[in-house]
Amino acid sequence: MAVRLSRGAQHEDCIKLLRRLQAAQQQDSSPACLSQLDRLACKDAKLQQPFRLPPKWSSEAASGASPFPDTMLAWKSSAEQGRQLVAAHDVVAGSVLWIEEPFAHLLLKQHRKRKCSMCLKPVQAHTSFSCPACPLVRYCSPSCCQRDPFHTAKGSECGMPWSVLLPADAVLATRMAAKLSQDTSSCAQHIQTLQTHLKQTSLPVLTELSLLATLAAICCRQQGAGPHPSAGSILTALLQVHTNGLAVVPQQHTDASDRIALAVYPTASLMNHSCQPNIAVCFNGCELTARATESVQAGEPLLHCYGAQTGALITPLRQQQLQEQYHFVCGCRACQAGFDESEQAMVGLRCLDSKCSGVIVPKQATPAGLCSIEPLPGCIGSGCCNRCRKCWNEDPDSSHSVWSALHVAKAEYALALSQLHNIDEVEVRTLTAATQSLLHVSEIQHKYLGIANQLMAQTNNQLAEIHATMGDWQQATFYCHKVLEAIQCSYPQSSTAVAYQMLKLADLLKVQGHQPLAHEQATAAKRVLQLHFGDSA
């Protein structure tokens, strides 16, 4: 179904209004502007519902009563940290802190045929249930089908392609705004007060989100049945999703492609950030379970990681990402340690003096794939060894040859990776060719990169996978152990990244009959994973 957007004159009015909205950020007069935005999304101005700022939690509640009586949780508020979860009592590592269902969630479109749209649990093709009126969603049971408020008779998403075509964050924001328009519970009132970072949002981003909210409001009105959230309320919810939303992921995940759903959880939305968190969340379907990964004393904050943890990215890049998305400069314990020697080793080059064990972080901006997985800005390195202080500009010929060799390694690694696109189906001859390319890459990297450099670990991981596929368990173990050593230099020992690599090593050792060593690695990994996932680890 084609959706007719507002006419050209309305579009111009919308752009003018957005400029006013940006200016209003400084005077806190944005609600009036949002009300006008709502009118642009309505076919009839009489349908417009005025946008009002949601009620804030009272100062009395903020300083006293807890919404979590008789639990291990409490919360406090400050000008610097805002509202945050804290431990009400001393918490032992591994303790379950809370379990909750989302206030609103959305199964991502690539999982619609494999996961239940309501509970997010796997569905079987021969036992799944479809929406009675459309083929867009599937359910694991009749009860899940009946509980879906958006796929009822004349539901706002039932049979409507907009819920598949619009971005997931916009659809989730529309669901959230629709629920908030009818829900008067204390939980809904709390959700309404979640941070939006409206004042910190740039005009281009605000323009894009406002037009997206307007489009979502228009699409939602195509069905006769309500509720029909306003564009202003959808925009507010969209900003809240960007700040407070959680990706529902499987236990072992590597990047954004592993995401199953996007959700907003009432209690989890109060978690503040740390690059070295003391709690972890896991999911059983859409049900969230939060556990303490280390002991926490009463009154101390319960901290979750919003993005890359320490060990995955160096401090300057983590802080840059957090500043761009969440509009704050992280000052957690990991960031206070700063860009120290262990982080410099993650992206550093070998010192030009072969007798020195230090590394050099380039002074100039460096593209991804030369000495780091991510591009390096030009403001973090000195161009000198962090131990002997020898600088690259003292030997320009050597530094030029280093960059030339690393460019060759980058190109060869990309070629080998393209040959291994689906490693389980690659022919032996292709595996052999890819192995030779990666061995050449490894040789160059070993010569010019620091021993704990992330790129070396990445290459060694590919070599371990190839040798395991070819049944060369001894070589696979050799490279797997090298990867583990590099990860242990970068990540905290309680990290799941360390634990999963230990499990890989344990499997390889077990295949070769080294049972005691395999048991030792697996037991150590199990202890870490139980802190994060409990008995399901």
Side-chain angles (χ1 to χ4, degrees):
M1 181 197 67
V3 176
R4 178 175 292 179
L5 301 178
S6 51
R7 294 184 293 274
Q10 286 181 313
H11 182 267
E12 292 178 6
D13 289 343
C14 186
I15 297 301
K16 292 177 182 177
L17 181 58
L18 291 168
R19 290 176 182 155
R20 287 183 55 202
L21 179 59
Q22 182 70 13
Q25 290 175 327
Q26 303 303 322
Q27 288 81 30
D28 290 331
S29 57
S30 55
C33 296
L34 285 171
S35 294
Q36 294 180 48
L37 180 64
D38 294 339
R39 282 195 284 273
L40 291 173
C42 294
K43 295 179 179 178
D44 187 341
K46 294 180 181 179
L47 297 176
Q48 191 264 330
Q49 296 295 323
F51 178 89
R52 294 185 178 86
L53 281 176
K56 301 295 183 185
W57 283 11
S58 68
S59 57
E60 180 182 354
S63 61
S66 167
F68 314 110
D70 302 322
T71 70
M72 288 186 283
L73 306 178
W75 69 281
K76 64 182 181 181
S77 181
S78 67
E80 298 80 15
Q81 302 293 331
R83 293 178 298 180
Q84 63 175 327
L85 281 179
V86 298
H89 314 285
D90 290 348
V91 175
V92 179
S95 301
V96 174
L97 297 170
W98 78 90
I99 300 173
E100 67 176 329
E101 297 283 339
F103 179 81
H105 69 284
L106 176 74
L107 179 67
L108 299 184
K109 62 184 73 174
Q110 63 266 32
H111 297 289
R112 287 186 175 225
K113 292 185 178 180
R114 298 190 297 272
K115 301 283 186 181
C116 175
S117 187
M118 274 304 292
C119 70
L120 307 185
K121 293 182 178 178
V123 297
Q124 304 297 328
H126 59 283
T127 59
S128 62
F129 300 84
S130 298
C131 170
C134 75
L136 295 179
V137 292
R138 302 188 76 83
Y139 306 98
C140 64
S141 65
S143 62
C144 278
C145 181
Q146 293 166 6
R147 288 191 300 116
D148 190 343
F150 304 101
H151 281 266
T152 58
K154 296 187 178 180
S156 59
E157 296 179 21
C158 193
M160 306 299 286
W162 69 268
S163 63
V164 178
L165 298 175
L166 288 186
D169 55 351
V171 180
L172 176 59
T174 306
R175 288 184 171 192
M176 195 163 132
K179 186 172 181 179
L180 287 172
S181 68
Q182 296 180 317
D183 194 338
T184 59
S185 66
S186 59
C187 176
Q189 292 175 20
H190 158 59
I191 293 293
Q192 287 180 319
T193 65
L194 293 179
Q195 181 63 264
T196 63
H197 291 304
L198 175 64
K199 291 187 177 183
Q200 292 82 14
T201 306
S202 66
L203 180 58
V205 172
L206 190 60
T207 301
E208 179 183 345
L209 296 181
S210 299
L211 293 174
L212 193 56
T214 304
L215 176 59
I218 293 171
C219 292
C220 201
R221 288 191 176 89
Q222 302 306 307
Q223 286 280 42
H228 295 146
S230 65
S233 63
I234 294 175
L235 175 59
T236 300
L238 192 51
L239 291 166
Q240 289 171 327
V241 167
H242 285 186
T243 304
N244 303 279
L246 280 180
V248 178
V249 294
Q251 282 189 12
Q252 188 171 2
H253 60 280
T254 54
D255 53 40
S257 64
D258 295 326
R259 294 177 177 178
I260 297 170
L262 186 61
V264 173
Y265 291 85
T267 306
S269 64
L270 289 172
M271 297 186 297
N272 272 9
H273 167 81
S274 172
C275 298
Q276 190 174 342
N278 56 16
I279 64 174
V281 298
C282 63
F283 302 91
N284 178 20
C286 63
E287 182 183 80
L288 177 149
T289 299
R291 288 182 174 84
T293 56
E294 59 186 64
S295 296
V296 183
Q297 294 183 351
E300 288 187 353
L302 300 170
L303 302 169
H304 179 58
C305 186
Y306 293 177
Q309 296 189 16
T310 179
L313 281 181
I314 59 176
T315 298
L317 297 182
R318 294 198 314 269
Q319 290 185 322
Q320 179 184 339
Q321 290 183 358
L322 291 167
Q323 178 70 49
E324 289 173 354
Q325 182 170 355
Y326 298 103
H327 310 287
F328 70 89
V329 177
C330 183
C332 71
R333 54 182 171 173
C335 289
Q336 286 176 3
F339 189 44
D340 58 12
E341 278 200 8
S342 65
E343 288 201 348
Q344 291 167 25
M346 291 166 56
V347 297
L349 302 146
R350 280 185 184 270
C351 179
L352 297 175
D353 184 349
S354 60
K355 297 179 181 179
C356 179
S357 60
V359 296
I360 296 173
V361 178
K363 191 173 184 178
Q364 73 272 27
T366 309
L370 295 183
C371 64
S372 60
I373 293 176
E374 300 286 336
L376 291 183
C379 56
I380 64 170
S382 64
C384 300
C385 176
N386 60 5
R387 299 215 172 154
C388 73
R389 309 310 300 172
K390 184 173 183 178
C391 297
W392 273 37
N393 55 16
E394 297 175 16
D395 194 351
D397 291 337
S398 295
S399 61
H400 178 73
S401 64
V402 169
W403 288 125
S404 298
L406 290 175
H407 274 286
V408 171
K410 178 181 178 180
E412 282 205 51
Y413 181 82
L415 176 62
L417 216 60
S418 66
Q419 295 173 319
L420 299 171
H421 180 66
N422 191 344
I423 192 169
D424 293 329
E425 298 178 4
V426 175
E427 295 180 355
V428 173
R429 136 178 103 175
T430 305
L431 283 174
T432 303
T435 302
Q436 293 304 314
S437 295
L438 287 173
L439 286 172
H440 186 224
V441 171
S442 179
E443 181 183 346
I444 294 172
Q445 291 176 340
H446 182 74
K447 184 176 181 180
Y448 296 117
L449 299 183
I451 194 169
N453 190 286
Q454 286 182 319
L455 285 179
M456 287 187 64
Q458 182 178 259
T459 302
N460 288 332
N461 187 59
Q462 290 294 335
L463 284 166
E465 289 192 13
I466 290 176
H467 285 294
T469 302
M470 297 175 69
D472 188 346
W473 307 117
Q474 188 172 355
Q475 282 296 97
T477 303
F478 172 78
Y479 287 110
C480 185
H481 192 269
K482 280 184 167 292
V483 176
L484 178 59
E485 287 179 337
I487 290 176
Q488 287 175 325
C489 289
S490 307
Y491 285 85
Q493 294 308 299
S494 61
S495 166
T496 57
V498 174
Y500 284 128
Q501 191 63 30
M502 293 174 78
L503 286 180
K504 286 183 181 179
L505 182 58
D507 288 340
L508 291 170
L509 291 168
K510 188 176 180 180
V511 169
Q512 298 171 80
H514 303 307
Q515 302 298 337
L517 289 175
H519 178 73
E520 180 184 339
Q521 294 291 329
T523 301
K526 187 77 171 178
R527 281 198 297 267
V528 172
L529 295 177
Q530 281 184 325
L531 292 177
H532 290 259
F533 308 117
D535 293 336
S536 63

